[in-house]
């Protein structure tokens, strides 16, 4: 039998504010807290939704077959280019696979401006082609004899029809370019590369979760899933072909295929998730209202804004930052409270909360802040951050249970700044998983082994180009 799991995630100081402040905090604590029973119900619903998506088209969780068949051995070798588009940055990576699970990378990063994110797809593709061109020149690769093979990590919903073909079905995470949905992003980008005479051939189209899974698997062969916890949230895992009831594309070279769950859309119907008025406010003002609700409760793009929605609601009720002369101009602006502030605030365990004070002062120009207010802000971050990590735990446990992870255990690669930098995020995920998988609670960290797959999405694209090679050769 399993021992009781002792939660690791820290608890904060009592608020000790005015009766009104305390009552407000008690109320939102109830709203943001997901107890074990509720978390189990969410996890169970998650598994049901996975199975629905595997059996039929057009379900809430789309469960997209990636056309990546089988796994890697870690012995693959060669040079591959990777391109990663899907969040805050655009990355171009040159990956050299050395075998024995080892690889080297050289990369460059460019920011994608708001203008490009919401302009025309043609402009976006030309910008990307220019970035690749510049990188090749820097790496002295502009005059190669043969086109370089590139794996394209395109982290938006795409219905794939081959390893290097697919139709984009939607934009997410703040992107909304015209002339893209309904088209194949590979062809659009390949056209731009041809127009600019860049010697690159796109050989694989890959979601960042799939790339993360593959790059983790190259180093850890027991890998069953890859997750992104960054700007957005999503996951991919290795499925048995026999479980993919909707599959109609005939024989494959392997009995397994990687599935991109698109779990960010989980429970868009809102029958299960404990959505608060603060989440609804964020959703209504987002560029994709009603969609990606699970993602909006979990990921880096949104968590800071949920915290800000609570803070401004308290301001409206004269419960926070209401001293005469307080400057609330910045905190009143949309998306001005970044998720990275939550990391800084939650990392502060000092009695006087000096880092919380400094974060509010430096970034938001909030100067007349008393100790109660510091504790309130920290508690709000803790509530929103803990809920996010517990929901991520429901998704991971759902995948682990569905794939029948046993005591031998399995590896899960995770890429994304939220997972990498947010203190306690990982501990809170383990706490949640221990509640959801009670038989493994005594040793959860060695059974469902989470690990950082830094830049997994970039490296993974190169590895997908490599898998594409293997598949073409074995067919
Ligand atoms: P992407 O998902 O675009 O590939 P990242 O994995 O770097 O990129 O994730 C960026 C997201 O992570 C942003 O939404 C940002 O708010 C969030 N983020 C960046 N730094 C931190 C941090 N220190 N703590 C928590 N979240 C962070
Ligand atoms: Mg990324």
């Amino acid at each position: 039998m399993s021992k009781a799991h002792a939660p690791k995630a820290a608890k904060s100081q009592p608020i000790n504010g005015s009766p009104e402040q305390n009552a407000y905090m008690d109320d939102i604590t109830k709203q943001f807290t997901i107890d074990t029973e509720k978390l189990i119900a969410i996890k169970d619903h998650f598994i049901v939704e996975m199975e629905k998506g595997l059996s039929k088209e057009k379900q809430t969780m789309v469960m997209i077959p990636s056309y990546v068949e089988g796994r890697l051995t870690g012995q693959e070798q060669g040079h591959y280019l990777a391109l990663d588009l899907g969040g805050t940055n655009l990355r171009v990576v040159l990956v050299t696979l050395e075998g024995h699970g080892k690889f080297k990378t050289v990369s460059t990063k460019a920011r994608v401006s708001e203008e490009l994110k919401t302009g025309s797809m043609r402009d976006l593709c030309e910008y990307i082609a220019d970035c690749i061109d510049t990188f090749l020149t820097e790496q002295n690769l502009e005059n190669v004899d043969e086109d370089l093979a590139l794996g394209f990590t395109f982290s938006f919903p795409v219905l794939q029809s081959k390893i290097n073909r697919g139709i984009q079905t939607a934009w997410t995470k703040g992107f909304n370019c015209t002339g893209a949905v309904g088209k194949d992003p590979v062809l659009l980008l390949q056209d731009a590369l041809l127009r600019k005479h860049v010697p690159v051939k796109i050989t694989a189209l890959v979601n960042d979760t799939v790339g993360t899974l593959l790059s983790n698997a190259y180093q850890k062969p027991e890998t069953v899933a890859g997750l992104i916890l960054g700007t957005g949230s999503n996951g991919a895992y290795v499925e048995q072909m026999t479980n993919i009831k909707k599959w109609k594309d005939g024989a494959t070279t392997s009995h397994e295929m990687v599935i991109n769950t698109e779990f960010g859309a989980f429970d868009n119907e809102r029958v299960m998730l404990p959505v608060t008025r603060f989440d609804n406010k964020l959703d209504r003002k987002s560029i994709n209202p009603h969609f990606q609700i699970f993602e909006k409760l979990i990921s880096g793009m949104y968590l800071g804004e949920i915290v800000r929605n609570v803070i401004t609601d308290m301001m409206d009720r004269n419960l926070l930052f209401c001293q005469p002369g307080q400057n609330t101009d910045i905190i009143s602006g949309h998306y001005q409270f970044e998720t990275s502030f939550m990391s800084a605030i939650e990392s502060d365990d000092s009695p006087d909360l000096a880092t919380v004070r400094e974060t509010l002062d430096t970034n938001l120009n909030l100067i007349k802040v008393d100790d109660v207010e510091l504790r309130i802000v920290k508690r709000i971050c803790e509530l929103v951050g803990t809920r996010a990590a517990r929901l991520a735990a429901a998704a991971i446990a759902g995948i682990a249970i569905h794939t029948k992870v046993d005591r031998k255990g399995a590896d899960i690669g995770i890429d994304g700044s939220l997972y990498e930098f947010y203190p306690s995020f990982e501990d809170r995920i383990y706490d949640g998983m221990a509640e959801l998988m009670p038989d493994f609670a005594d040793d959860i960290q060695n059974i469902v082994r989470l690990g950082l797959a830094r830049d997994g999405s970039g490296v993974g694209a190169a590895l997908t180009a490599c898998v594409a090679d293997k598949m073409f050769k074995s067919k």
Side-chain angles (χ1 to χ4, degrees):
M1 274 311 290
S2 59
K3 282 179 276 175
H5 174 82
K8 286 217 176 49
K11 287 267 179 294
S12 65
Q13 310 168 15
I15 301 293
N16 289 333
S18 70
E20 293 77 17
Q21 286 172 320
N22 293 341
Y24 187 96
M25 294 310 291
D26 286 347
D27 177 43
I28 63 160
T29 299
K30 281 201 200 89
Q31 292 187 50
F32 281 104
T33 301
I34 303 177
D35 63 17
T36 302
E37 196 185 343
K38 181 69 182 174
L39 200 60
I40 291 172
I42 293 170
K43 177 265 294 168
D44 288 345
H45 189 56
F46 189 92
I47 295 173
V48 169
E49 291 295 296
M50 282 177 80
E51 284 161 3
K52 261 197 212 161
L54 288 171
S55 50
K56 270 193 267 168
E57 303 293 341
K58 298 197 169 142
Q59 301 303 295
T60 305
M61 261 166 73
V62 208
M63 306 295 284
I64 302 170
S66 66
Y67 289 77
V68 174
E69 301 168 22
R71 298 188 225 193
L72 294 163
T73 63
Q75 296 313 318
E76 297 79 3
Q77 298 188 356
H79 301 281
Y80 296 90
L81 271 180
L83 173 74
D84 181 9
L85 174 76
T88 310
N89 293 303
L90 170 74
R91 289 191 197 88
V92 189
V93 192
L94 176 66
V95 181
T96 308
L97 302 179
E98 299 176 325
H100 310 290
K102 294 206 166 60
F103 56 79
K104 285 207 181 91
T105 65
V106 201
S107 67
T108 182
K109 221 180 195 182
R111 240 192 129 70
V112 184
S113 68
E114 290 309 309
E115 229 180 334
L116 283 169
K117 282 185 188 175
T118 52
S120 77
M121 184 63 169
R122 191 184 160 99
D123 288 349
L124 180 63
C125 287
E126 300 220 324
Y127 174 75
I128 297 171
D130 284 338
C131 289
I132 297 174
D133 199 18
T134 308
F135 180 69
L136 294 185
T137 309
E138 283 164 11
Q139 299 301 322
N140 294 319
L141 287 169
E142 74 271 43
N143 293 318
V144 285
D145 300 337
E146 213 180 310
D147 284 355
L148 285 156
L150 177 142
F152 182 11
T153 300
F154 185 72
S155 309
F156 303 97
V158 167
L159 285 179
Q160 267 186 270
S161 53
K162 279 188 197 170
I163 198 154
N164 61 348
R165 285 286 176 275
I167 297 294
Q168 186 179 354
T169 58
W171 285 109
T172 56
K173 297 177 286 187
F175 277 73
N176 207 1
C177 296
T178 55
V181 171
K183 302 215 169 106
D184 184 339
V186 173
L187 296 177
L188 298 177
L189 180 58
Q190 188 70 65
D191 278 352
L193 290 165
L194 285 171
R195 281 199 298 276
K196 291 180 179 280
H197 308 287
V198 185
V200 165
K201 185 171 166 51
I202 307 170
T203 57
L205 173 63
V206 56
N207 186 270
D208 54 357
T209 57
V210 178
T212 298
L213 190 164
L214 291 188
S215 82
N216 209 68
Y218 189 70
Q219 302 160 83
K220 300 172 183 170
E222 303 295 304
T223 299
V224 295
L227 256 76
I228 299 294
L229 297 172
T231 304
S233 317
N234 190 12
Y237 71 101
V238 181
E239 182 59 282
Q240 302 299 313
M241 284 309 302
T242 50
N243 286 341
I244 312 174
K245 304 273 191 292
K246 66 181 174 184
W247 182 260
K248 294 197 186 74
D249 267 358
T252 50
T253 56
S254 164
H255 65 284
E256 296 175 337
M257 181 173 289
V258 177
I259 296 283
N260 163 20
T261 64
E262 287 295 332
F263 73 50
F266 169 60
D267 199 31
N268 274 345
E269 302 83 2
R270 293 158 169 71
V271 297
M272 185 54 72
L273 292 171
V275 180
T276 68
R277 66 179 188 279
F278 310 104
D279 307 307
N280 283 328
K281 183 172 177 193
L282 174 140
D283 181 46
R284 265 198 305 280
K285 298 199 169 172
S286 68
I287 68 167
N288 54 348
H290 309 300
F291 292 102
Q292 298 293 106
I293 190 63
F294 195 57
E295 177 169 75
K296 283 171 181 159
L297 302 182
I298 294 182
S299 36
M301 178 162 177
Y302 306 106
L303 295 186
E305 180 67 357
I306 301 171
V307 168
R308 200 189 68 85
N309 283 344
V310 180
I311 290 176
T312 52
D313 184 59
M314 290 189 80
M315 284 162 43
D316 293 346
R317 295 164 195 255
N318 281 329
L319 296 172
L320 198 63
F321 304 143
C322 45
Q323 293 87 336
Q326 179 63 282
N327 182 347
T328 53
D329 290 355
I330 300 181
I331 188 85
S332 300
H334 286 156
Y335 288 91
Q336 291 303 311
F337 195 103
E338 291 174 20
T339 302
S340 60
F341 303 168
M342 296 171 70
S343 286
I345 288 170
E346 284 226 58
S347 71
D348 187 352
D349 287 325
S350 69
D352 61 346
L353 299 178
T355 305
V356 181
R357 184 177 293 285
E358 199 203 307
T359 305
L360 297 178
D361 179 345
T362 316
N363 299 291
L364 299 162
N365 209 7
L366 290 162
I367 35 174
K368 300 179 175 180
V369 180
D370 66 33
D371 290 352
V372 172
E373 291 175 318
L374 296 177
R375 292 196 290 271
I376 287 177
V377 170
K378 187 174 179 211
R379 174 66 61 81
I380 298 169
C381 292
E382 207 174 272
L383 288 170
V384 173
T386 302
R387 185 184 64 166
R390 290 175 71 77
L391 290 172
I396 300 171
I399 292 171
I401 292 167
H402 173 84
T403 54
K404 304 193 165 61
V405 167
D406 59 18
R407 273 214 165 253
K408 288 201 300 291
D411 290 291
I412 297 194
I414 308 183
D415 187 14
S417 294
L418 186 66
Y419 174 75
E420 185 173 0
F421 299 119
Y422 199 128
S424 313
F425 209 86
E426 187 186 61
D427 281 341
R428 289 167 180 168
I429 295 179
Y430 278 127
D431 289 349
M433 288 198 303
E435 293 166 45
L436 294 170
M437 304 176 81
D439 291 346
F440 300 148
D442 58 315
D443 201 21
I444 193 73
Q445 306 200 18
N446 291 313
I447 295 174
V448 186
R449 298 180 294 265
L450 309 181
L452 182 67
R454 191 185 285 116
D455 202 19
S457 47
V459 175
L463 288 162
T464 311
C466 178
V467 172
D469 247 16
K470 272 185 151 186
M471 279 167 54
F472 293 137
K473 283 175 189 149
S474 72
K475 266 182 182 157

